[in-house]
Amino acid sequence: MNREFWSKKIVELSEEQLIILGYLGDNALPGIRDMVKKIRADPERLGSVTCFQVDCLMRTYTSAQPPAQGAVGPPPTSPTSQSFPTSPVVSETETPFSQLSNNSATFTVVAPDLISQFEINFWYHGISGNPPKLLYRSDFETNHFPIPGLGDRFFRVPTKTAYGVFGTPLNEVWDTTVAPQIQALMKSHGVKYSSLKTARFSTVVEENGKETFGPVVVWISVHPNTTSAGAVRDVTPDVLHILNDAKVTGVVVEWYEGTVERLDGPPLMSVEDKTSPTFGLNHPFNAGLGIPIARASDDAQGTITLLFKEVKTSDGHPSDRILALTNKHVASLDTTTHYDYDAVNPQSILVCGDRRFGRGFEEIEDAVNTGLRDAVRLAGELKDLEAKSGGQNTRVIDRRKTALDNMHQDNAILQELFDEVDLKWRDPNKRKLGEVHWAPKISVGVDDRHYTLDIATLAIDEEKLKNFTGNIVDLGNQYNVGQLEDRFWPVATFRQNKTIPADLQLPILRAMPRRLVINPDTEDKNGEPLSIVGKYGNTTKLTLGNYSGMDAYTCTEFGLESREVVVYNSKGAGDFSAKGDSGSLIFTGDGDGLAILHSGMPRGMHNHVTYATPLWWVFKKLLERYPSAELYGMEYTLE
């Protein structure tokens, strides 16, 4: 439609004009035709509806025609399947069990496996939408996994969640003794491990809903197709021996296959008040932390961690430059070489890659469509109420009138946002955020801690930051304040007076000191120690996860080892991260920055482990390059 028609009201146009626009007549979609007739029949209540609103709805449904009758396509996906994994019923045709049930060996051990196919597939059910398969576990003989009995068509597999480990004897000796010895043991046996970490798993059996916690697990992944179940079984007694020598008992060793992968996928707008209809919708384009970015060269996507002021250049001259922090693998295509800003060949970074822009634009369109349909529906209800009231105003009618007026105002505001994004942000040249300023090569050997150095800085165009007020996370519109408080602190919200800001804008006050990283700040409803963290990323937006408490040790297929912060998926919350979330700041509900996200361990379309570098250590390296950096008031200690 010609943009000049966008602001025209439906009731102001003739029937002939509406037919030409495709809103009336035989060629109009029946639902659109019926809606336009209702609007024209009720100018008092729906006279403010514009052509833009109707056209937005029409575009949505003309671009998504249903498949032809008899066409073969994938079955519809359950809307809760990714975020809230439920126990599969073994008689359901879409579960992995259906693929196993035709095999007579499903419930028995068949060489070369050491565990039944049923247990291999379902042992980790629930920790992500596509959990890994079990390779071997040390308590196989003593801790039997439930399997369905003959003819039991409604057996449900227990659902698990991975949690961190805190306050155990293993915490005291993990980094200094146990983890290094297990690493050396695996190398000596030729086991090509990809990560070494710890976890505790809770299990929920749906029949009674009771959640029970298992023992501490030394959780080891090996690179796919490199190590057999027999090989890890043979190494397991030596792992247990290391634990026993360190006076750590009651720990289980579990093995599976998995690979650590990088999760790379005008002025920025002001963060809107949470009462605005645009709250959450303008997040991809506003100045809150979690800004989605992409390389201009190839649309590789990631997220801004935080911003800081340079204050002085490396040679001591005053500087008013503002820089942003993200991952090296997000900023640079070549991650193996060092990069400093090159004016001849600059590396440009955009706000929103094409894919993220498309998703953001669709979200605004969906809100416009919902607003129009709700307004037409509410106007019809109001008309019926007034007809039944005999011309008298009632409290219900007054409330409906107020609600309809507010809805029309909100719809007009959404139209303004749509127009602004379409005109000012669609062109990639207008989305340019800045240039890569400093991007050292990715390394795990810059000091004896072996954390992953995967950082880069971007020199930001000052015009883009007119509305930037500090390192504040816009928590968006996915949860209200009470829901977030209950998720960050399941029992501590009132016991310790823990609160989320009422405007859902969370200031990041400090980088969590190394000594505090290992101490959980809350507990779950069962009294188990718990540390819930969040992140706002390019792909998965705001997510919450379980911080592991102890660092993981990872190893690439080429033998490159590193040490990482670990976050697991929270129960019922979906995946903590996905490709495109790299660079996201991981934070606590109190506003402490924990780590900068850089990779994960995905399986298929889901990710069950997230890896990150501690923020205090990143700041230490950042200040070596920018010794006068000012972090917008954030506190930090470097040891």
Side-chain angles (χ1 to χ4, degrees):
M1 173 194 289
N2 193 314
R3 190 177 289 271
E4 67 182 61
F5 271 89
W6 278 18
S7 59
K8 292 188 179 296
K9 296 178 173 58
I10 293 294
V11 296
E12 295 174 348
L13 299 180
S14 68
E15 183 172 345
E16 182 181 1
Q17 288 175 307
L18 293 170
I19 291 174
I20 293 173
L21 290 172
Y23 300 164
L24 292 178
D26 294 339
N27 293 327
L29 290 174
I32 297 295
R33 185 170 57 237
D34 183 63
M35 177 175 288
V36 170
K37 287 180 179 179
K38 289 179 180 178
I39 294 170
R40 299 185 77 204
D42 195 357
E44 179 184 353
R45 302 175 186 84
L46 295 173
S48 63
V49 174
T50 63
C51 289
F52 162 80
Q53 293 170 279
V54 174
D55 201 66
C56 196
L57 185 64
M58 187 173 71
R59 283 198 312 274
T60 299
Y61 289 97
T62 53
S63 62
Q65 295 292 337
Q69 186 174 3
V72 178
T77 303
S78 167
T80 60
S81 61
Q82 294 186 15
S83 299
F84 301 96
T86 57
S87 294
V89 181
V90 299
S91 60
E92 293 174 351
T93 58
E94 68 272 18
T95 66
F97 178 81
S98 64
Q99 302 171 18
L100 301 173
S101 58
N102 293 328
N103 185 346
S104 60
T106 294
F107 304 109
T108 59
V109 178
V110 178
D113 296 325
L114 302 177
I115 297 173
S116 72
Q117 280 295 311
F118 186 84
E119 183 171 339
I120 287 171
N121 280 273
F122 289 111
W123 178 257
Y124 291 120
H125 170 69
I127 70 169
S128 77
N130 189 2
K133 295 182 179 182
L134 178 67
L135 198 58
Y136 183 73
R137 56 186 177 93
S138 63
D139 62 345
F140 173 70
E141 297 291 341
T142 58
N143 179 24
H144 298 291
F145 187 59
I147 61 174
L150 186 64
D152 187 353
R153 299 178 57 245
F154 299 100
F155 175 85
R156 290 187 177 272
V157 179
T159 299
K160 289 187 175 182
T161 302
Y163 290 90
V165 179
F166 303 95
T168 71
L170 183 55
N171 291 77
E172 299 175 7
V173 295
W174 177 250
D175 292 323
T176 58
T177 305
V178 171
Q181 290 184 7
I182 295 176
Q183 286 177 290
L185 171 69
M186 290 188 288
K187 292 177 193 175
S188 69
H189 284 262
V191 173
K192 296 187 178 300
Y193 83 98
S194 56
S195 73
L196 167 65
K197 52 196 176 289
T198 59
R200 284 192 73 194
F201 294 96
S202 73
T203 302
V204 175
V205 179
E206 289 191 10
E207 280 72 11
N208 54 31
K210 184 178 179 181
E211 183 177 30
T212 58
F213 281 80
V216 174
V217 174
V218 172
W219 201 21
I220 308 173
S221 63
V222 295
H223 288 282
N225 304 315
T226 64
T227 309
S228 67
V232 299
R233 175 200 59 195
D234 294 344
V235 175
T236 298
D238 291 334
V239 175
L240 295 171
H241 186 71
I242 290 171
L243 292 165
N244 189 64
D245 286 349
K247 296 183 172 50
V248 176
T249 58
V251 173
V252 173
V253 181
E254 295 183 6
W255 303 80
Y256 70 100
E257 290 187 332
T259 301
V260 180
E261 297 181 15
R262 303 290 176 200
L263 299 179
D264 38 271
L268 291 167
M269 298 179 185
S270 299
V271 176
E272 292 290 345
D273 182 82
K274 68 178 183 180
T275 60
S276 169
T278 65
F279 180 67
L281 294 174
N282 82 340
H283 200 297
F285 315 103
N286 74 29
L289 290 191
I291 300 169
I293 59 173
R295 290 196 298 264
S297 60
D298 62 353
D299 201 44
Q301 304 195 31
T303 308
I304 292 294
T305 312
L306 50 81
L307 286 87
F308 65 97
K309 300 175 182 178
E310 186 176 30
V311 182
K312 290 183 181 180
T313 62
S314 56
D315 55 8
H317 290 96
S319 171
D320 58 2
R321 182 184 286 129
I322 297 176
L323 299 123
L325 177 67
T326 188
N327 286 140
K328 165 73 170 181
H329 74 270
V330 171
S332 301
L333 181 61
D334 180 4
T335 62
T336 63
T337 59
H338 182 91
Y339 176 85
D340 279 305
Y341 175 70
D342 181 357
V344 177
N345 186 28
Q347 298 181 0
S348 297
I349 300 295
L350 307 179
V351 176
C352 289
D354 291 340
R355 288 169 289 168
R356 183 64 185 94
F357 176 83
R359 293 201 309 274
F361 200 71
E362 287 177 4
E363 289 167 2
I364 298 171
E365 277 192 319
D366 288 344
V368 170
N369 294 340
T370 299
L372 172 59
R373 297 172 72 177
D374 288 348
V376 172
R377 190 176 298 113
L378 183 57
E381 294 173 2
L382 181 57
K383 187 176 182 179
D384 291 342
L385 285 171
E386 289 176 335
K388 294 175 182 177
S389 69
Q392 294 184 346
N393 262 1
T394 65
R395 184 176 299 176
V396 173
I397 290 176
D398 287 341
R399 287 176 177 172
R400 295 293 175 92
K401 285 181 177 179
T402 299
L404 184 59
D405 288 342
N406 290 337
M407 198 171 289
H408 285 316
Q409 292 177 24
D410 287 350
N411 290 343
I413 293 171
L414 287 172
Q415 180 171 339
E416 292 173 3
L417 175 63
F418 182 100
D419 207 24
E420 179 180 2
V421 171
D422 191 47
L423 286 173
K424 297 182 179 180
W425 291 87
R426 183 177 292 280
D427 183 353
N429 292 319
K430 296 180 180 179
R431 299 205 303 271
K432 184 177 176 182
L433 180 65
E435 314 282 1
V436 179
H437 188 254
W438 173 67
K441 68 178 182 179
I442 293 179
S443 175
V444 296
V446 295
D447 62 19
D448 59 2
R449 294 191 186 279
H450 295 286
Y451 286 120
T452 296
L453 181 70
D454 184 0
I455 61 174
T457 61
L458 317 175
I460 305 300
D461 179 0
E462 291 184 19
E463 290 297 311
K464 281 286 190 288
L465 296 177
K466 286 182 178 179
N467 296 311
F468 180 72
T469 58
N471 286 312
I472 300 171
V473 180
D474 176 8
L475 296 171
N477 59 357
Q478 296 163 251
Y479 303 97
N480 62 37
V481 171
Q483 289 171 330
L484 283 176
E485 289 174 345
D486 290 343
R487 282 165 170 77
F488 271 112
W489 309 290
V491 298
T493 301
F494 290 98
R495 289 184 186 177
Q496 301 174 29
N497 196 29
K498 299 276 193 177
T499 59
I500 292 292
D503 60 0
L504 291 169
Q505 305 304 303
L506 180 67
I508 302 301
L509 305 175
R510 65 172 178 170
M512 186 180 289
R514 183 171 69 90
R515 299 297 178 188
L516 295 182
V517 167
I518 61 175
N519 296 316
D521 62 352
T522 188
E523 60 185 32
D524 66 13
K525 295 179 180 179
N526 300 309
E528 297 288 341
L530 184 68
S531 185
I532 298 293
V533 294
K535 76 101 191 61
Y536 201 107
N538 182 329
T539 302
T540 54
K541 300 184 181 181
L542 179 65
T543 56
L544 278 69
N546 298 329
Y547 167 54
S548 70
M550 283 185 270
D551 288 344
Y553 294 82
T554 68
C555 184
T556 69
E557 57 185 320
F558 304 109
L560 196 63
E561 296 177 312
S562 66
R563 181 175 173 178
E564 313 292 354
V565 169
V566 184
V567 179
Y568 300 127
N569 300 336
S570 287
K571 180 171 61 177
D575 295 353
F576 184 72
S577 64
K579 288 183 180 293
D581 287 332
S582 284
S584 301
L585 177 68
I586 299 175
F587 54 85
T588 70
D590 294 310
D592 288 338
L594 173 66
I596 174 172
L597 188 156
H598 60 69
S599 57
M601 186 166 277
R603 184 170 186 267
M605 299 299 292
H606 294 276
N607 186 40
H608 56 278
V609 183
T610 296
Y611 296 105
T613 303
L615 193 62
W616 67 266
W617 187 85
V618 170
F619 279 4
K620 184 176 181 179
K621 301 306 169 186
L622 195 67
L623 290 167
E624 292 174 2
R625 174 61 178 81
Y626 303 97
S628 300
E630 201 285 308
L631 295 151
Y632 288 95
M634 286 180 63
E635 299 177 0
Y636 57 87
T637 57
L638 302 182
E639 290 297 338

